[in-house]
Amino acid sequence: MSGILNSSIARKFAMALSAFFLMFFLLQHFAINVTSIFSADVFNDLSHFMGTNPLVQYALQPVLIFGVVFHFVMGFILEIKNKNARTVKYAKNNGAANSSWMSRNMIWSGLAILAFVGLHFYDFWFPEINTKFINGDMTGLIDPNNAESGYRYYEELQHKFVDVWRVVLYVIAFVFLALHLLHGFNSAFQSVGANNKYTKGLKTFGKLYAILIPLGFVVIALFHHLNH
């Protein structure tokens, strides 16, 4: 770890790898959540599988949490290192002319996303951990004593988006996520040396990913708010 912290190239490379991992998870998370628009049964089945599969729960989930923490900690370290390394302030070299607004404000969009992760954990992850591992209910059923009651995941998802204030917070968070991804996606590929004949295609794909995935989550939140 000390080698990563002391090498600028290693820090950026590690940051890029954690970004790729989190972007893959985000895509997988969206793929499951979007099914809630089309089929409550499919969403319930997928959610129950992810929520009870031992590999997901005891291997992938801890890796995911580590990845989130690592990415944000590394982001703060890079921001501090970059600020300390600047010998000429933006006011003198007109940094705004040499970099985009998104690249100069990654730390702020990152903090907004981190706050949203906290809200998302409060809404979904903490209650799920409490239900399964504290209360001991691994059935996933609305009524643990009634197999005919059906899975609770779709009902819980809709319940979270009843209040308009929560929907607004989610929409704002996904706007910040889009801004963060618009710079972060291409920056991650640059950090691993992906500057070649495919660069233009990667940039186009990055823009589509950065806009469409957050927009998709916004649609999901609005759909359940309007159809609860």
Side-chain angles (χ1 to χ4, degrees), residues 43 49 101 141 147 167 193:
F43 175 74
F49 171 79
W101 181 91
L141 297 173
V167 176

Side-chain angles (χ1 to χ4, degrees), residues 58-155:
Y58 303 116
L60 297 183
Q61 189 166 252
V63 171
L64 172 62
I65 294 174
F66 173 80
V68 171
V69 173
F70 180 86
H71 186 76
F72 281 102
V73 169
M74 189 58 62
F76 293 135
I77 292 174
L78 283 171
E79 180 69 13
I80 293 171
K81 293 286 186 180
N82 289 338
K83 282 187 175 181
N84 291 338
R86 294 184 189 119
T87 56
V88 181
K89 299 299 183 182
Y90 280 130
K92 295 182 180 180
N93 69 1
N94 191 17
N98 301 319
S99 59
S100 67
W101 181 91
M102 289 174 289
S103 66
R104 298 193 308 276
N105 292 277
M106 288 293 281
I107 190 69
W108 298 112
S109 60
L111 284 171
I113 296 167
L114 186 59
F116 166 71
V117 169
L119 173 63
H120 196 60
F121 271 32
Y122 173 81
D123 279 346
F124 295 100
W125 194 71
F126 291 146
E128 188 71 8
I129 294 298
N130 180 68
T131 298
K132 290 189 298 188
F133 299 112
I134 296 178
N135 296 333
D137 175 17
M138 298 293 288
T139 66
L141 297 173
I142 296 174
D143 180 357
N145 299 313
N146 181 10
E148 301 300 322
S149 64
Y151 289 134
R152 56 183 165 75
Y153 309 104
Y154 185 84
E155 182 181 88

Side-chain angles (χ1 to χ4, degrees), residues 168-194:
V168 171
L169 287 179
Y170 269 67
V171 170
I172 292 173
F174 287 124
V175 170
F176 275 107
L177 177 62
L179 294 173
H180 197 78
L181 288 170
L182 279 169
H183 174 72
F185 192 99
N186 291 322
S187 178
F189 276 101
Q190 289 179 0
S191 295
V192 297

